[in-house]
Amino acid sequence: QILLKIEMSDVKSVFDLFLLPSKQKIAAASIPFVVRAQRLCPSEKQLQAEISKQGIDPASGEADLGQVQKIVAALASTGGNLEESLRSALQAFDQDGTDFIVASELERVLTSSGEKLGRKEIDEVFRQVEVDGFGQVEVESIVRLVLSVVAK
């Protein structure tokens, strides 16, 4: 996926909000804000890897517009894998690395984050994923559900 010129102008508009005084650069710590303002949601690891590829010290470095545009373009071209992104996001709730999430925690996230789901939608989700005897949901069943909904 290649960013269009209009999208690069969006990058510049956000970049300009973070300009350091008397410089045409932004602090490395501001790069994630510019990237996420482009509706990209890379993992911290992906973001840091792209920042490092541009030779920017993540702790104290600075980046010019060209470097930031390269970071955005690289992250946009790798951000298309919904399945991988979803698995990565769900890992944050898999405290013990067993590929299971506590159902009550999943419900809390669904009712309080992003586009909040109502009781009816929550009930539908839990009808379609298997909750085991320990009150946990397998990550894979959530991934399959989301991918099947997106495919429709």
Side-chain angles (χ1 to χ4, degrees):
Q1 177 183 2
I2 298 173
L3 294 181
L4 302 174
K5 288 181 183 177
I6 190 164
E7 292 169 320
M8 283 302 174
S9 68
D10 290 344
V11 173
K12 183 180 180 339
S13 296
V14 177
F15 176 89
D16 288 347
L17 296 173
F18 292 95
L19 281 175
L20 294 168
S22 304
K23 295 187 178 185
Q24 290 299 307
K25 294 185 175 193
I26 64 171
S30 299
I31 296 171
F33 297 106
V34 177
V35 168
R36 292 190 174 106
Q38 308 313 308
R39 296 188 173 146
L40 297 174
C41 298
S43 68
E44 195 59 33
K45 184 177 177 180
Q46 291 171 314
L47 193 52
Q48 293 308 316
E50 291 303 325
I51 290 170
S52 293
K53 281 182 188 175
Q54 291 300 315
I56 302 165
D57 177 357
S60 61
E62 297 174 351
D64 64 30
L65 178 60
Q67 289 172 303
V68 173
Q69 287 176 327
K70 287 177 185 175
I71 291 168
V72 169
L75 292 170
S77 69
T78 61
N81 189 334
L82 174 62
E83 185 173 353
E84 182 181 311
S85 298
L86 183 56
R87 278 199 178 87
S88 177
L90 291 170
Q91 285 176 351
F93 301 102
D94 180 14
Q95 302 287 330
D96 54 4
T98 60
D99 290 332
F100 283 86
I101 299 172
V102 176
S104 60
E105 178 65 11
L106 178 60
E107 181 175 358
R108 185 191 66 75
V109 170
L110 293 173
T111 59
S112 63
S113 300
E115 187 175 327
K116 297 160 186 64
L117 300 181
R119 182 81 254 152
K120 185 178 179 181
E121 291 91 357
I122 297 291
D123 290 344
E124 184 62 28
V125 168
F126 283 108
R127 270 194 289 282
Q128 295 185 40
V129 295
E130 186 176 327
V131 180
D132 71 11
F134 299 104
Q136 297 184 328
V137 178
E138 186 179 15
V139 168
E140 189 59 33
S141 68
I142 300 167
V143 171
R144 281 192 310 266
L145 173 62
V146 171
L147 294 177
S148 71
V149 169
V150 170
K152 290 181 180 178

